[in-house]
């Protein structure tokens, strides 16, 4: 049914235009028609829901759509297929976690989050974090997780394109992840958010934020990782 999807998308672009007054003026967002068209299609195909009385304005929807579409600018909207929901909380939200350790003991705790991407399900975002947190881009972060999950597991390695060398990807990311972890264990301050050392999936999401928001520093500090991200996202923002 790909022809029907293509027809619907052409129809959306024929009938609608981005309100330039609402387009987010973020320094890392390219002011291109291609990104604006992709954001329009994203808005047409995804369902936004506010929680706890939050009214989601057109400006909020467009800001999230534009940032979400930046990673797939050269990949296409089909990389976000299979789910429709974008759930927005006014601020950070709590999620109940359960884990069974190797001895069979069940541990439960509450996690306070600014965002969460669910396999096959919605992306959940804190609007306060999306609009005001200077230390992270929660939108790019969570949508990078969505790309990572496309092969069924969030492990810091999304489905690579034909021609990409999986061994080169693995080597670049493993060395960078280990270097960050070692620096934190020694008590050193790090350029990259320490949260990136929580798990390879978090490293991929955090370094994806930096790839788009601060590409020159990313290329300088993590050249091998930058080269792999350049191949995966098919973009060279630096």
């Amino acid at each position: 049914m790909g022809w029907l999807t293509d027809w619907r998308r052409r129809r959306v672009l024929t009938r609608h235009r981005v309100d330039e007054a609402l387009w987010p003026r973020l320094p890392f967002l390219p002011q291109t028609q291609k990104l604006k068209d992709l954001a329009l299609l994203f808005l047409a195909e995804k369902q936004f829901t506010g929680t706890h009385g939050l009214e989601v304005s057109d400006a909020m929807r467009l800001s999230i759509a534009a940032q979400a579409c930046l990673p797939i600018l050269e990949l296409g909207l089909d990389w976000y297929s299979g789910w429709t929901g974008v759930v927005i909380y006014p601020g950070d939200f709590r999620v109940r976690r359960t884990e069974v350790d190797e001895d069979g003991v069940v541990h439960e705790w509450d996690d306070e989050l600014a965002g969460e991407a669910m396999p096959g399900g919605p992306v959940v975002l804190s609007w306060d974090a999306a609009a005001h947190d200077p230390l992270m881009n929660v939108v790019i972060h969570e949508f990078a997780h969505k790309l990572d999950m496309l092969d069924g597991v969030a492990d810091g390695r999304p489905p690579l394109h034909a021609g990409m060398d999986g061994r080169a990807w693995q080597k670049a990311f493993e060395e960078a992840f280990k270097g960050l972890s070692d620096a934190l264990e020694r008590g050193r301050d790090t350029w990259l958010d320490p949260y990136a050392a929580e798990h390879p999936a978090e490293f991929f999401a955090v370094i994806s934020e930096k790839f788009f928001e601060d590409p020159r520093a990313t290329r300088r500090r993590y050249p091998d990782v930058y080269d792999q991200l350049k191949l995966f996202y098919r973009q060279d923002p630096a």
Side-chain angles (χ1 to χ4, degrees):
M1 298 296 286
W3 65 269
L4 182 57
T5 298
D6 290 342
W7 175 80
R8 285 173 176 166
R9 289 174 179 174
R10 287 194 300 270
R11 193 162 176 256
V12 168
L13 295 179
T14 299
R15 295 187 171 194
H16 301 278
R17 289 288 181 272
V18 164
D19 185 341
E20 294 293 340
L22 299 181
W23 183 257
R25 303 297 172 183
L26 299 169
F28 60 88
L29 280 180
Q31 305 298 308
T32 63
Q33 193 60 47
K34 184 173 185 177
L35 182 58
K36 292 173 182 177
D37 287 348
L38 198 58
L40 271 179
L41 296 175
F42 183 94
L43 291 172
E45 296 183 15
K46 304 303 180 188
Q47 181 178 350
F48 285 70
T49 305
T51 68
H52 296 76
L54 178 67
E55 293 187 13
V56 183
S57 69
D58 289 343
M60 293 163 65
R61 294 169 73 243
L62 187 56
S63 177
I64 291 169
Q67 294 175 78
C69 288
L70 182 56
I72 59 162
L73 183 60
E74 300 298 334
L75 304 178
L77 194 55
D78 289 342
W79 281 69
Y80 289 157
S81 63
W83 58 275
T84 59
V86 179
V87 179
I88 309 171
Y89 280 75
D92 290 358
F93 52 93
R94 291 182 179 274
V95 175
R96 189 68 172 169
R97 303 293 195 194
T98 302
E99 183 178 88
V100 181
D101 66 21
E102 59 186 13
D103 296 320
V105 178
V106 178
H107 302 270
E108 294 186 345
W109 71 97
D110 287 331
D111 240 354
E112 187 165 295
L113 304 175
E116 185 173 32
M118 302 180 185
V123 172
V124 186
L125 301 169
S126 156
W127 176 247
D128 182 60
H132 303 121
D133 191 338
L135 300 179
M136 73 175 296
N137 186 308
V138 68
V139 179
I140 291 177
H141 186 103
E142 297 305 330
F143 281 88
H145 279 318
K146 272 295 189 183
L147 297 174
D148 187 8
M149 293 172 179
L150 282 173
D151 57 2
V153 59
D155 58 0
R157 178 172 168 162
L160 303 182
H161 307 301
M164 289 187 67
D165 186 341
R167 291 169 299 180
W169 177 283
Q170 197 74 16
K171 182 174 184 292
F173 276 81
E174 282 185 353
E175 289 181 355
F177 182 78
K178 184 177 185 304
L180 177 66
S181 300
D182 289 347
L184 290 170
E185 285 180 6
R186 293 194 297 270
R188 293 174 53 190
D189 291 333
T190 60
W191 173 75
L192 205 60
D193 187 336
Y195 187 61
E198 290 287 319
H199 188 274
E202 298 301 343
F203 185 90
F204 171 70
V206 172
I207 201 68
S208 291
E209 296 176 51
K210 292 294 190 181
F211 178 77
F212 290 107
E213 286 199 324
D214 197 354
R216 289 184 178 86
T218 305
R219 184 176 61 183
R220 183 176 69 254
R221 295 172 181 272
Y222 292 97
D224 293 339
V225 169
Y226 185 92
D227 286 344
Q228 293 303 311
L229 292 175
K230 181 173 67 174
L231 292 171
F232 174 68
Y233 288 117
R234 294 175 172 165
Q235 300 182 56
D236 188 1

